[in-house]
């Protein structure tokens, strides 16, 4: 006979809304994992949930608005809402006050990276269930990305004080996770079927500085908590490992040979933001004194297949036409593969807002358009150089019509795709997470097209 008490008792259910960048996504995964570990159900809708957690973003005005709207929607649909994430810590108490003034009935507000605080608030308003049958959760936790790739957050916070950025005031100084813990998480993700790890943090190249590169243990071996050692250890896993948010410090040169050996992906996401030394000084950018063109040349000599992605800001306060031309020359010479360009937009609370000589909106935009136009030609010619080549790609999605995949040069969400027709023979049809070899036969400045070989 069925046990009536067990079948009638529904586990308490928490709805979850996750906004913001990959780092916020990792926070969401941690909270979701903890909820699962403690036996809560995670609900896909507001209505089915006993309580909602909203993970917010507070970086730019539109993200703040999106976060406030999401809180309002959850309050309206459900009424029991806990708010976490960057908006809750924006400009000291300001973000929290903004949330509580608009939504005075929210149950709690925390900043980012606050799994424990969020769980405490959940426990107060929705006591945790005690049921051994639902206390099971996979080793690798709960992931919000597709099964075959995962973000690996190696640290939180940042020691720099770039004048356009308020992340350190929201997330605090750099706190690195010991390397043993990071590698254990990476191994468990691999065991769960992950084929690609995306290493994220605010400043990946500074990994371990706060711990003075302390030695930790990886499978019983002493290993330093440091960027190069991290790349070497991850390189032993035999899956794709992609490095994001790396600054051009001299020690970064030492991981490029690992890329040439195929240990980690030949890909560097390296946000230069500008090229002119005076602008970089006004921005207070890390590693701004490095001779980046020479560095790029040397990286390409060591690893000819390296893909370089970067972001730039046009119209930073005080940027003169000459300084902007310096940037155009840099872009022309650097021949980067992928570039994101943003017209400077003042962020509430950023030091740069007080700098002299703000650039008029139309000039910022016009410079952005000029830079994009130049980069599109470069990106196109870099993609054209891939025509006729066979490359390994990782399948992200499939349907009857075709396959959407990514090459080693493409990070999910931010770079291009490789589009491939689906073979008719069912035995040759790949699934998401499969690696296949593709002959590239067409391209534009973002994407590639090819067929399975
Ligand atoms: S390096 Fe600069 S832009 Fe990046 S998080 Fe730190 S302060 Fe912000």
């Amino acid at each position: 006979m069925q046990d009536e008490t067990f079948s009638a008792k529904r586990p308490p259910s928490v709805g979850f809304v996750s906004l913001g960048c990959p780092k916020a996504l990792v926070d969401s995964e941690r909270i979701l994992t903890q909820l699962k570990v403690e036996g809560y159900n995670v609900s896909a809708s507001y209505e089915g949930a006993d309580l909602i957690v909203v993970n917010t973003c507070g970086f730019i005005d539109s993200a703040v608005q999106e976060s406030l709207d999401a809180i309002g929607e959850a309050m309206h649909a459900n009424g029991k809402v806990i708010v976490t994430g960057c908006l809750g810590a924006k400009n000291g108490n300001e973000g929290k006050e903004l949330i509580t003034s608009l939504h005075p009935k929210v149950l709690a507000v925390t900043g980012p990276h606050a799994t424990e605080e969020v769980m405490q608030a959940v426990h107060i308003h929705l006591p945790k269930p005690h049921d051994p049958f639902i206390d099971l959760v996979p080793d690798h936790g709960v992931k919000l990305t597709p099964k075959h790739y995962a973000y690996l957050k190696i640290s939180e916070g940042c020691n720099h004080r770039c004048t356009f950025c308020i992340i350190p005031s929201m997330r605090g100084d750099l706190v690195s996770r010991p390397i043993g813990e990071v590698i254990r998480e990476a191994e468990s993700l691999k065991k769960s079927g992950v084929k690609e790890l995306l290493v994220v943090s605010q400043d990946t190249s500074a990994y371990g500085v706060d711990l003075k590169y302390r030695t930790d243990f990886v499978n019983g071996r002493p290993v330093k908590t440091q960027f190069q050692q991290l790349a070497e250890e991850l390189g032993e896993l035999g899956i794709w490992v992609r490095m994001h948010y790396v600054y051009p410090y001299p020690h970064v040169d030492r991981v490029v040979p690992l890329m040439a050996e195929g240990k980690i992906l030949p890909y560097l996401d390296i946000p230069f933001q500008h090229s002119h030394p005076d602008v970089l000084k006004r921005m207070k950018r890390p590693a701004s004194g490095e001779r980046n063109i020479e560095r790029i040349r040397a990286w390409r000599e060591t690893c000819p297949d390296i893909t370089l992605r970067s972001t730039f800001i046009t119209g930073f306060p005080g940027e003169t036409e000459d300084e902007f031309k310096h940037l155009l020359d840099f872009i022309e010479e650097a021949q980067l593969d992928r570039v994101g360009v943003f017209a400077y937009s003042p962020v509430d609370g950023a030091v740069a807002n007080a700098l002299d000589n703000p650039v008029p909106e139309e000039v910022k935009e016009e410079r952005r358009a000029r830079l994009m136009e130049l980069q599109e030609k470069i990106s196109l010619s870099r993609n054209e150089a891939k025509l006729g080549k066979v490359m390994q790609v990782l399948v992200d999605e499939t349907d009857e019509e075709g396959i959407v995949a990514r090459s080693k040069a493409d990070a999910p969400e931010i770079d291009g795709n490789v589009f491939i027709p689906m073979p008719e023979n069912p035995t040759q049809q790949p699934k998401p997470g499969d690696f296949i070899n593709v002959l590239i036969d067409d391209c534009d400045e973002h994407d590639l097209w090819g067929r399975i070989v």
Side-chain angles (χ1 to χ4, degrees), residues 163 317 344 350-358:
T163 52
Y344 174 71
V351 174
N353 301 348
L355 291 177
D356 291 337
N357 304 319

Side-chain angles (χ1 to χ4, degrees), residues 158 160-162 164-165 167-168 202 247 285-286:
C158 180
H160 303 294
R161 295 295 179 263
C162 300
F164 55 79
C165 178
I167 284 175
Q202 314 295 344
Y247 289 101
R285 288 297 287 164

Side-chain angles (χ1 to χ4, degrees), residues 23 59 157-169 171-172 201-203 245 247 249 271 273 283-286:
K23 283 148 274 187
F59 192 43
C158 180
N159 285 349
H160 303 294
R161 295 295 179 263
C162 300
T163 52
F164 55 79
C165 178
I166 53 165
I167 284 175
S169 71
R171 292 181 173 244
S201 69
Q202 314 295 344
D203 177 359
Y245 314 115
Y247 289 101
Y249 298 107
Q273 307 300 16
M283 289 178 168
K284 289 216 177 132
R285 288 297 287 164

